[in-house]
Structure formats: C-alpha cells, structure tokens
Amino acid sequence: MPWPRRISLAVALLTAGSVVAVCALTPLAAVSAGQVLDLVMSVAAGVLATFLGLFVARRRPANPVGPLLALVGLAPPLVMLTDTYAYVNLTRPLPGAEAIHQLVAGLWTIWYVPVLLLMLVFPSGRLPAGRFPRLVLYGVLTDTLVFNVTVVMDPTRYAPPFEDYGHPLPTLPESAIWISFLALGLFMVLLVCSALVMRGRYRAAGPVERAQLKWFALGAVALPGTLLLCWTDYLLFGHVGVLIWVGLISLCLGVPSLAALAILRHDLYDVDRATSAVVTWGLVTAGLLAVYSAASFTGGLALGRGSAVAAAAVTALVAVALVPVKNRVRQSVDRRFYPARERALAAVTGLEREVHAGQARPEQLEEVLRDALREPRLRVGYLLPGGTEFHDTAGEAVVEGTEVRLAGGPIGIIDGPCPREVAAAGALLVETVRLRLELRRALGEVEASRNRLLRTGYRERRRLERDLHDGAQSRLVSLGMALRLAQRHLDDGSVDVNGLLDQAVAELGTAVAELRKLAHGLRPSSLDDGLGPALEALAVRAPVRLDWRLDGRPLPDHIATTAYYVASEAVTNAVKHAEATSIDVAVAVGGNQDGALYVTIRDDGRGGADPGRGSGLSGLGDRVAALGGLLHITSTPGAGTTVEAVLPCAS
C-alpha cells in the first residue's frame, strides 16, 4: 500500500477516535446548547472531510493530496475534543486538563496549515520546481511550530476555569512573547506566498491542471474568508461567534469537496461559471454586511440597544433592492475577472455574423479563438460523423481539451484554455466545419474511387487486349490463314483439305472456349439463371466448405452481378489470404418496401484484413459505392473476417 494511503488511513483513525471521545465527554462537560451545536457541526464537517480524503487516497493512492484532505477533516473534532476535555469538571478537572487547555491556545492553526500545504502541492502532490516553493514550505512548517511553542509557553495566566491552578507548563520570559505576534504576522505573509506559488503553477500548467487549480482555488478562498469573518465577528459582536464557525465549517467542507472534485471530475461543470457565481454572491454578501454594520452603528447612536431590529430591517430592504442588480454585478465581475472569456464570446458572435453574411469561413474559428484568448497554441478538433477521434482541419489528432457538445453529444474539442461557455457558443460553427470536412472527405473518396475505377478499367482493358491477342485472336488469324491456303490449293490436290478443315474446326473450338473464359471473367454465365445458381457454382468451385443462403425477391441484373462479385472476391480473399476452413455467405433483402440488399460473408480465418492494402477489398468498395451502397469490413486478428455490403435495391 502506498504511503499516502497509509497516512490517510491513520488520520482517519485519529478522526474517528476524536469523534468517539468527544461524544463520550460531552455529557460530562459544562457546555451550553450553542456549544453543543458547534460540536455537532464540527464533527459532521470533520467526518465528511475525512471521508473525502480517504476517497481521494483510494482513487489516487500515490498522491499526497489525499492525506492532506484527511488532515483538514481531523482539525474540527480534535479541536472540539481538547475544548471539551478541558471543560469536564466532576470534582476537579480531569488529569492534564490544565496542560491541554494551554495547548489549545495555538491549536487553531491546524485548521489552516493543511490548506496552506495543499496550496503548495495541489494537484500533483509535488512542489513546483524552484527555490521559492521550498522556502515557503519550510516557512509554513517552522512558523507554525514557533507560534505554537511561544503561545503554549506564555507565562500569562489563562481564563477560567484554570486561573487558580497556575501555569501547567514551562514558560518563556515575558519579553519573548512578542515572538508569537511576529510568527502570527509571518503566517499571514506565508498565506500570500502560498497563493503566489499556486498562481505560478497555474501559469505554467496545461488546460486540465488549470481547471483543477481553479476548482481548488474556489475552496481555498475560504481560508482568508475565515479570517475576514473572524474580524467581522469581533467588529459586530465583540467575540468569536457564529460567523467564525460559518467560515471554519466552509473551510472544512469547501476545500475537501472542491479539491476532490478537481482531482476526480474537474470537467463536471464549468469552473469559470462557478467562480463567477461565488465572486458575485461574495460581493453581494459583503455589501449586505457593510449595510448591516453601518445600520447597527447608526441605529446604536440613535436608538440605543434596540438598534438590532432596525439594522435587520434596513438590511432586508437593501437585500431586496440588490436582487435586480445581481446580474449586472455578475457581468461586471465577468468583465473584470474573465476579460478573455468576454472577448472570446464577442469574437465567436462576430464570426457567426460574418459567416452568415458570406464574409468569412467557419474554419476561421481556430484563428479567432487564438486571438481572443491570446493562446497561439490553441487548436480546434472536430469529430467527423461515424468517427471516434478528434482531428483539426489539417488532419492532425487533437487529444484533450474542452468538449464542444451539440444535442447532448460531442462534436468537437478545443485544446487550450477555453471556457465552456465559449465552447458552447461556438457549437454551431464547429458543427458546420465538421460537416464541411465530412463533405470534403466524401468528395475526396469519390474522386479516389473514380480514379481507382478508371485505373482498374484501363488495367482490365489491357489484360483483355493481351489475352485476346495472345489467345483467341492469334488462333483466329491462324485459322484464317489455313482456310486461305486450303482455298488456293483446293483444285491441285496438293493439300489435305479434310485434315486442314479438321484442324480449323479444332482451332475454332479452342478459340470459342477461350472467348467464353474471357467472357466469364466479365460476367459469369451462371448469372443468366439468377444469383442463386451463381452462388451454387461458387460453392462448388470453392476449395473449402462454403454455406450459402439467399432470401428475398428476384433482383435486378446489375444488383445481382454486384452481389455476386462481392461474395466471390470475399471468398477468394478468405481462401487465399486468411487461410479459412469455413465460409458462410448470406444474401437477404430488407423487410421494408425500400429495403436494401444485405450481402454478408463470414469466415473463420486469421482476420486482420486491411482494405488499405492491395486492390481487392478497395475495388469492392468502389464497385459497391458505384451503386450508392456501403461496404463494412470487420476483421479482428484471430477472430475471422466479416464483409457486409449494403446495396440499395428499391422496387
């Protein structure tokens, strides 16, 4: 088992033990109903985060991201355990409660340190190359240790219930306590440095890793957000209350959830759209908090302690007023944070207008997106109908990127940092281009098929000329000369006329036989009686067992001839190249009125037939295409070959 997965399991066991201990100690502790609610939320958040960490560790067992996510889940129940243990008071505090209470003073950092480490190594689990990321990593670990040590060894007495017990741990001189404030300030600096490391990784990343980092950043924003909520809590209420718990729970739920989503399913949803929504609602919420703060302050001056009701009423009115402007806020956010997306959407819309006006070609989509997104390496791949791979207009494969979908199915792919909204906006252009590419390919295949047919015709004509010249023609010329010689010497008796005529008759018979053989190569005479007798003759001549079936109505002569040649060529290939021992030929007409003729030839040979090699199968494709039909060849190595021709034969 890889070490990251082992660590994840160990952290999960610690989390489970903390949860059990908290549940056992809570009935004995002097806690309020609000503290019980905090405990329940913390335990639930910790369990969910730990589960997500284990899940990621199982799916990516060699990636340290899994253990770090599990550590995020360990923080809530562990902090609640130390708090609960310190406040259990039967006759006197539990053993070590004073020391544990002192340790809690710096334990809050475990909420944040795993997130900082994730910012440094996400999503690959490795630090980026360079000296700066290593310095930040060492700084986070060292600063956290220094801060906890100085806070734990603070000689100042702590709050109840332990002010009468004295300091339970060794202490530092009071003059050294300033180190903890310095470490706290450095912690904030390291938070900014971790964000800079993540930004540098994003700039050097490919499209997939960029999408993963965006998802993770949505969750990691809860870290500074939690600190902001803590400040807001102090500002509004004078103590750490509900807002800080909202921030901490968001941290424990948001980071593991979005990190797991980024690692396992980064393409599930458009991350740019999600980011825009988060920023928009964040601004709206910040505005409402500002209004509430201002209303509370103003109401406090004017109305005294009853100002909370007035502040809430004012805030509710402002919230109602902000609803119509939310979309405008989002548009402003998009223009500010995603100018490239706005440029790309405008460029795609402009290209569509120009294409409709006949001033541009849809194939310019790739060039337009490169300029709008400022990504010179961006490529657009198209999935041709019936294909399984994406290729650009030059025919080169495009492997990964943002999918372009239409009617629920993929039609293209954009290899580059392209938002999904832009890909969706260009769907009609992509569909147009791929249909034009398919038409161009079909025309190219027709041209190639016509050239092959011409070459085959010329080759067959030369063969016929050669066979006629060397065979029947020479015999007929020789026969004519012999008859002319007999005519000249018929009266003088110097020539055996009877023998000469017998020889002429024999030569004539041989010439007729050769002509029949040539004619059989053009069209078997057995087809005069229909396709069935022709297939029967083919089965008789085949050197292996050949089973054939013919179902359906009588066929036009040109359809029957093509079907025969498909069967004959496929049988010849099976015997000659596939070393087949058994062949099955099935000819059947479809059931509907305009049904096609299906000619299927299966053999048990070695398979691996390639229509691109040799002229036999490609010639069959040309012959079938000349009738408007289709030829399908399935030939898996070691599993035989199936040749199926679909010929239109409407009544």
Side-chain angles (χ1 to χ4, degrees), residues 396-414:
E396 297 183 3
V398 181
V399 180
E400 63 178 13
T402 304
E403 275 194 354
V404 182
R405 305 180 71 86
L406 188 66
I411 60 173
I413 193 170
I414 300 177

Side-chain angles (χ1 to χ4, degrees), residues 311-334:
V314 171
T315 305
L317 291 175
V318 173
V320 173
L322 282 179
V323 170
V325 301
K326 178 183 69 68
N327 291 333
R328 292 187 179 181
V329 173
R330 181 166 184 171
Q331 291 173 1
S332 300
V333 169
D334 288 343

Side-chain angles (χ1 to χ4, degrees), residues 14-246:
L14 286 175
T15 303
S18 300
V19 170
V20 171
V22 166
C23 293
L25 292 175
T26 298
L28 306 177
V31 294
S32 64
Q35 290 173 320
V36 172
L37 179 61
D38 293 343
L39 185 147
V40 172
M41 290 191 301
S42 298
V43 168
V47 170
L48 179 59
T50 303
F51 170 77
L52 290 173
L54 283 174
F55 187 70
V56 172
R58 179 179 178 83
R59 298 292 298 273
R60 302 289 188 272
N63 194 328
V65 168
L68 289 175
L69 294 179
L71 282 173
V72 174
L74 173 63
L78 184 61
V79 171
M80 292 304 301
L81 173 62
T82 55
D83 282 345
T84 306
Y85 189 88
Y87 281 92
V88 171
N89 193 352
L90 301 176
T91 57
R92 59 169 286 112
L94 294 177
E98 305 96 325
I100 290 177
H101 186 266
Q102 191 74 10
L103 290 171
V104 172
L107 196 62
W108 61 268
T109 54
I110 69 170
W111 290 85
Y112 302 100
V113 171
V115 181
L116 285 176
L117 297 179
L118 280 169
M119 292 171 68
L120 296 176
V121 302
F122 193 86
S124 64
R126 297 184 298 272
L127 281 174
R131 191 175 182 181
F132 180 68
R134 291 197 301 272
L135 290 176
V136 176
L137 173 64
Y138 299 149
V140 169
L141 298 177
T142 305
D143 184 72
T144 303
L145 178 63
V146 170
F147 176 77
N148 276 271
V149 169
T150 53
V151 169
V152 166
M153 301 179 71
D154 186 351
T156 306
R157 294 286 180 89
Y158 269 77
F162 303 109
E163 65 272 14
D164 297 332
Y165 290 96
H167 203 293
L169 299 172
T171 60
L172 292 171
E174 290 190 16
S175 59
I177 301 305
W178 60 270
I179 298 177
S180 62
F181 294 100
L182 248 153
L184 183 60
L186 181 59
F187 189 83
M188 303 304 173
V189 173
L190 290 170
L191 170 61
V192 176
C193 293
S194 300
L196 292 177
V197 171
M198 192 165 66
R199 180 186 179 189
R201 184 193 290 270
Y202 177 83
R203 288 182 171 179
V208 172
E209 191 168 338
R210 283 190 173 189
Q212 291 176 324
L213 287 169
K214 286 181 180 180
W215 279 118
F216 175 71
L218 276 180
V221 75
L223 196 155
T226 302
L227 298 175
L228 178 63
L229 288 174
C230 180
W231 173 81
T232 305
D233 237 1
Y234 273 112
L235 178 65
L236 297 180
F237 306 109
H239 60 85
V240 176
V242 66
L243 291 183
I244 184 62
W245 277 107
V246 170

Side-chain angles (χ1 to χ4, degrees), residues 372-409:
L373 296 172
R374 296 175 183 175
E375 180 57 51
R377 295 176 296 177
L378 182 142
R379 292 195 302 155
V380 180
Y382 305 92
L383 181 64
L384 296 184
T388 57
E389 297 180 348
F390 298 94
H391 295 84
D392 59 16
T393 54
E396 297 183 3
V398 181
V399 180
E400 63 178 13
T402 304
E403 275 194 354
V404 182
R405 305 180 71 86
L406 188 66

